[in-house]
């Protein structure tokens, strides 16, 4: 379904919010943008588009686990395997559209960020995004980023252990084959599963 009218509505809402209280710049983050690069660019032609790429098996495991946990609150019975099947399909749809449409976003307005590179140099990656967006990385901003990352290391509050097969009924090998098209397009590092 063409999402252009919905993006136009979102732009109108952002304009109203900006008129009321600011800010002058927005950061919009949604996995849905991966399958809506055309409407996104048509609605926000001057946007800086940052596409993050991670092993899709990790993405499916994370999304399905998080949503299955949430289902315990809003449903009588959680079905993690059904949630995982849905998200495997949904992530495939998103990534196929991204592979199809990625080259429609001009290189001078976009950046591909690989998850493993971001994890290796988080603040440096933010600096690259700032450069692309024409923002100044002030010493104060750099200091605040460094301080935040030092105070909040990955895994600070523990880590979730994912059991693809046992909890979600998914086979890592089958998923790897299913998402081969994405690994072929982007140099994503496979994560352990």
């Amino acid at each position: 379904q063409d999402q252009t009218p919905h993006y136009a509505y979102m732009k109108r809402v952002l304009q109203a919010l900006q008129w009321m209280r600011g800010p002058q710049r927005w950061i919009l983050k949604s996995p849905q943008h991966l399958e809506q690069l055309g409407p996104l660019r048509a609605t926000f032609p001057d946007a800086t588009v940052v596409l993050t790429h991670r092993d899709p098996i990790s993405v499916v495991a994370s999304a399905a686990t998080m949503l299955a946990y949430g289902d315990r609150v809003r449903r009588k019975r959680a079905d993690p395997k059904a949630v995982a099947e849905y998200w495997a399909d949904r992530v495939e749809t998103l990534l196929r559209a991204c592979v199809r449409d990625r080259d429609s976003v001009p290189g001078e307005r976009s950046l591909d960020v690989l998850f493993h590179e971001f994890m290796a140099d988080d603040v440096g990656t933010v600096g690259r995004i700032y450069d692309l967006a024409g923002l100044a990385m002030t010493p104060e901003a750099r200091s605040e980023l460094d301080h935040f990352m030092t105070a909040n290391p990955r895994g600070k509050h523990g880590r979730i252990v994912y059991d693809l097969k046992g909890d979600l009924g998914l086979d890592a090998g089958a998923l790897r084959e299913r998402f081969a098209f994405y690994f072929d397009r982007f140099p994503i590092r496979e994560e352990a599963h």
Side-chain angles (χ1 to χ4, degrees):
Q1 179 177 347
D2 180 12
Q3 296 292 312
T4 303
H6 306 290
Y7 274 80
Y9 176 75
M10 177 174 56
K11 181 178 181 177
R12 189 80 169 145
V13 169
L14 293 173
Q15 287 171 324
L17 291 171
Q18 188 166 323
W19 177 79
M20 291 170 57
R21 295 192 177 99
Q24 296 305 305
R25 292 185 79 99
W26 292 91
I27 297 175
L28 307 177
K29 180 185 181 292
S30 174
Q32 180 177 327
H33 297 319
L34 290 173
E35 72 174 343
Q36 301 297 329
L37 292 175
L40 176 71
R41 293 284 299 143
T43 307
F44 302 101
D46 60 343
T48 300
V49 178
V50 179
L51 298 106
T52 56
H53 303 284
R54 185 176 186 185
D55 182 337
I57 299 164
S58 295
V59 172
V60 169
S62 176
T65 300
M66 175 185 65
L67 293 164
Y69 275 127
D71 279 354
R72 296 180 311 169
V73 174
R74 63 181 175 261
R75 300 186 188 281
K76 288 184 179 183
R77 186 180 73 76
D79 188 350
K81 292 178 182 176
V83 172
E85 287 175 21
Y86 171 82
W87 279 99
D89 290 345
R90 184 72 183 111
V91 168
E92 181 179 3
T93 299
L94 292 168
L95 298 182
R96 285 195 181 279
C98 176
V99 167
R100 180 194 67 218
D101 298 336
R102 173 60 185 99
D103 294 332
S104 70
V105 184
E108 65 274 6
R109 302 292 318 149
S110 64
L111 179 67
D112 291 293
V113 174
L114 303 176
F115 182 76
H116 66 275
E117 292 177 353
F118 178 62
M119 291 294 99
D121 184 16
D122 40 31
V123 175
T125 301
V126 172
R128 290 176 35 223
I129 295 167
Y130 268 55
D131 287 344
L132 181 66
L135 299 170
M137 176 61 78
T138 64
E140 180 184 9
R142 175 69 189 223
S143 175
E144 287 178 10
L145 284 168
D146 286 335
H147 175 74
F148 180 85
M149 295 311 299
T150 300
N152 297 283
R154 191 167 186 218
K156 174 181 176 179
H157 299 291
R159 294 180 185 255
I160 295 175
V161 177
Y162 300 106
D163 183 351
L164 277 175
K165 191 70 169 171
D167 292 337
L168 303 174
L170 297 174
D171 177 78
L175 286 174
R176 183 109 20 243
E177 287 179 31
R178 182 176 183 176
F179 291 114
F181 70 94
Y182 188 62
F183 285 99
D184 290 344
R185 175 62 171 86
F186 300 102
I188 303 155
R189 183 173 292 164
E190 292 182 13
E191 297 175 35
H193 297 103

